[in-house]
Amino acid sequence: MRISIEEIQELIRDVVDFPKPGIVFKDITPLLSSSKGLRSTAELMAEQLLASGAQELVGIESRGFLFGAAIAALTDLPLHLVRKPGKLPYRTVGRDYDLEYGSDRVEMHCDAIQRGTRYALIDDLIATGGTAAASIELIQEQGGQVACACFVIELDFLKGRERLGDCQVQSLLHY
Ligand code: AMP
C-alpha cells in the first residue's frame, strides 16, 4: 500500500547544525528504513518522470543513487551515474562548477549518454541547484536531452530551480 506525501514528509528528519552550524540537514534515512516509505517515494517520482517523457535515468551521487536505483527497478529504465571526481572506473567526461567557496566537479562515464535520448535527473534534494545544473550541462554537452530533474526534497528558499533554466523540475516535498 502506498503512503501519502504527508506520511513521506514525516519520515524526513531535520538534523540541526549538520554538517556545520546553521545548516538544517534533511536526513532521509528514516524514509529509507520504511519499506512503504521508499516504495511510495519511488512510485510517485516514477509517475512524474514517466509523464515527462524520460527514457533513461541519471542518479547523482550519493543519495540520488538510492532513489535512482529504486525507480530504475520499478520502471525498467536504464540508470546512469553522476559521481564526484575520480570515482568512476572507466573513461570519464566531467564538468566543473562553482561553490560558495571554491569549486567542485561532476563526472560521468564517457559512454553513458546517448545523443537524442531524454533523461530524468534524480537526486534526494535540491538546495542551491549547483550540482543539478552542472549535471544537466554535462548531459547536454554529451548530446542528451534532460526531460526533467526530480527530487524528493526542494529547499524553495534557496531558489535552486532558477539555476536549471527551462528544465522541468519536479519535487515531492517543499520547505
Ligand atoms: P546543491 O548543489 O546546493 O543543490 O546541493 C545539493 C546536494 O547537496 C544534494 O546532493 C543534497 O544531498 C546535498 N544537500 C544540500 N543541502 C542539504 C540539506 N540541507 N540536507 C541534506 N542534503 C543536502
Side-chain angles (χ1 to χ4, degrees), residues 23-26 61 63 123-132 155:
I23 305 286
V24 178
F25 192 85
K26 297 292 181 191
E61 183 170 0
R63 290 178 292 275
D123 204 356
D124 67 328
L125 182 144
I126 177 168
T128 66
T131 318
L155 302 184

Side-chain angles (χ1 to χ4, degrees), residues 95-120:
R95 184 154 182 116
D96 298 304
Y97 62 102
D98 291 330
L99 295 175
E100 197 177 347
Y101 302 103
S103 68
D104 212 339
R105 181 177 171 82
V106 286
E107 292 185 346
M108 297 188 77
H109 274 153
C110 62
D111 57 358
I113 299 301
Q114 301 300 313
R115 187 163 292 280
T117 297
R118 295 188 299 276
Y119 296 89

Side-chain angles (χ1 to χ4, degrees), residues 49 52 54-59 118-122 146-150:
L49 68 87
S52 78
Q55 299 166 301
E56 303 198 7
L57 311 174
V58 176
R118 295 188 299 276
Y119 296 89
L121 187 69
I122 298 168
V146 180
C148 59
C150 307

Side-chain angles (χ1 to χ4, degrees), residues 1 6 8 35 48-49 63 94 100 123 127 135 137 157:
M1 219 200 48
E6 291 72 27
I8 290 173
S35 56
Q48 291 181 336
L49 68 87
R63 290 178 292 275
E100 197 177 347
D123 204 356
S135 303
E137 285 159 11
F157 55 95

Side-chain angles (χ1 to χ4, degrees), residues 119 121 136 140 146-150 161 164-170:
Y119 296 89
L121 187 69
I136 288 171
Q140 291 173 338
V146 180
C148 59
C150 307
R161 66 166 60 217
L164 308 193
D166 55 8
C167 177
Q168 198 183 120
V169 179
Q170 299 167 343

